């Protein structure tokens, strides 16, 4: 079973626009992480937000976490064509820091 | 990328044959993981390790075994490969900040 579910499954926007992806999960978590995967490549860590945090920023990325709703959002501002990739949320809830991934959002940024 | 390498990067095998995938890391991270990625499923955890000779099952462990005799190496074995194990396999490690780093992946095709 998957802990995190992303919404939407696919998103297409113009360069310069903002992109928002949402993630919902089912059980209590230690932290929630977002990863990016370019086609045919491994996953790259973007940002981690702990369960006692509500918002975090990193460059053009903004992540929010609402533990009462068991949901998170990833905002990419001023998107670029190079942001085209699949984005995954993952929740950590085990003692060995294992992650449970959602099925991802495919983001396409059109030049 | 935390110095994670996977070998082989591509493999084609026949149903019923044993297959071993190797993950090697250079960062001395304690935790290591094996995931598989299939279309529509995101990444699913197969097995993980929290130290030398300490391993446990993940969400989709049936048909797989692992071994970790050294900190830097984590082996995934398919005892008797089946077509349902055709997938892309990713190894990962976690650092002290709970960030997971992923290897480049191994594409396995079981005919």
């Amino acid at each position: 079973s998957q802990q995190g579910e992303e919404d939407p499954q696919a998103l297409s926007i113009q360069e310069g626009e903002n992109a928002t992806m949402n993630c919902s999960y089912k059980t209590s978590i230690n932290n929630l992480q977002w990863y990016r995967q370019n086609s045919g490549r491994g996953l790259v860590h973007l940002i981690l937000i702990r369960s006692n945090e509500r918002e975090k920023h990193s460059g053009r990325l903004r992540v929010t976490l609402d533990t009462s709703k068991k949901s998170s959002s990833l905002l990419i501002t001023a998107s670029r064509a190079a942001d085209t990739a699949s984005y995954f949320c993952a929740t950590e809830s085990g003692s060995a820091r294992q992650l449970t991934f959602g099925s991802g959002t495919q983001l396409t940024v059109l030049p | 990328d935390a110095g994670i390498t996977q070998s082989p990067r591509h493999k084609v095998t026949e149903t019923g044959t044993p297959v071993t995938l190797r993950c090697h890391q250079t960062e001395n991270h304690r935790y290591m993981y094996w995931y598989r990625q299939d279309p529509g499923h995101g990444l699913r955890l197969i097995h993980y390790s929290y130290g030398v000779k300490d391993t446990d099952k993940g969400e989709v462990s049936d048909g797989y075994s692992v071994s970790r005799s050294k900190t830097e190496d984590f082996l995934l074995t398919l005892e008797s490969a089946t077509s349902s194990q055709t997938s892309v396999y990713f190894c990962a490690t976690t650092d002290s900040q709970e960030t997971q780093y992923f290897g480049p992946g191994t594409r396995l095709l079981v005919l």
Side-chain angles (χ1 to χ4, degrees):
Chain A
S1 62
Q2 288 182 283
Q3 167 78 304
E5 294 294 337
E6 286 93 339
D7 171 60
Q9 291 187 339
L11 178 62
S12 184
I13 60 174
Q14 295 292 136
E15 206 164 26
E17 294 181 338
N18 295 341
T20 299
M21 289 160 268
N22 302 296
C23 171
S24 60
Y25 57 93
K26 298 174 184 176
T27 64
S28 61
I29 61 173
N30 297 330
N31 62 63
L32 185 144
Q33 304 180 33
W34 286 91
Y35 288 80
R36 185 181 84 183
Q37 183 180 35
N38 290 88
S39 181
R41 307 293 294 274
L43 278 74
V44 175
H45 181 264
L46 295 177
I47 197 165
L48 179 154
I49 187 165
R50 300 191 184 281
S51 59
N52 60 353
E53 297 176 311
R54 293 295 168 260
E55 186 171 314
K56 207 162 183 180
H57 297 255
S58 176
R60 293 185 296 114
L61 305 180
R62 172 178 171 256
V63 170
T64 62
L65 178 64
D66 186 335
T67 53
S68 67
K69 295 182 179 178
K70 292 186 169 58
S71 66
S72 173
S73 67
L74 171 67
L75 169 67
I76 303 174
T77 60
S79 63
R80 306 165 181 168
D83 294 329
T84 293
S86 292
Y87 292 81
F88 295 89
C89 71
T91 53
E92 183 197 302
S93 54
S95 59
R97 305 178 180 178
Q98 60 266 41
L99 297 178
T100 303
F101 283 82
S103 54
T105 293
Q106 173 61 50
L107 173 66
T108 301
V109 181
L110 303 171
Chain B
D1 61 359
I4 300 173
T5 56
Q6 294 184 228
S7 59
R9 294 291 314 280
H10 302 270
K11 186 169 182 66
V12 180
T13 191
E14 294 185 349
T15 298
T17 59
V19 176
T20 295
L21 308 182
R22 179 177 182 249
C23 177
H24 180 78
Q25 56 129 338
T26 59
E27 298 296 319
N28 204 36
H29 289 163
R30 176 184 174 189
Y31 299 99
M32 297 186 75
Y33 313 85
W34 276 107
Y35 296 89
R36 61 178 288 174
Q37 184 176 31
D38 305 287
H41 287 279
L43 276 78
R44 291 181 292 175
L45 182 64
I46 304 171
H47 280 280
Y48 60 95
S49 171
Y50 43 95
V52 173
K53 297 184 179 174
D54 290 323
T55 65
D56 207 345
K57 296 178 180 179
E59 179 189 355
V60 290
S61 60
D62 287 349
Y64 301 95
S65 63
V66 291
S67 65
R68 192 169 178 200
S69 58
K70 299 185 291 184
T71 298
E72 57 266 36
D73 290 327
F74 193 30
L75 303 181
L76 176 71
T77 297
L78 291 66
E79 300 291 345
S80 178
T82 67
S83 58
S84 65
Q85 293 176 312
T86 291
S87 187
V88 181
Y89 291 85
F90 288 99
C91 173
T93 68
T94 297
D95 68 8
S96 59
Q97 302 303 311
E98 300 176 83
T99 297
Q100 280 202 12
Y101 298 92
F102 286 80
T106 294
R107 292 186 176 274
L108 176 67
L109 175 60
V110 183
L111 300 174

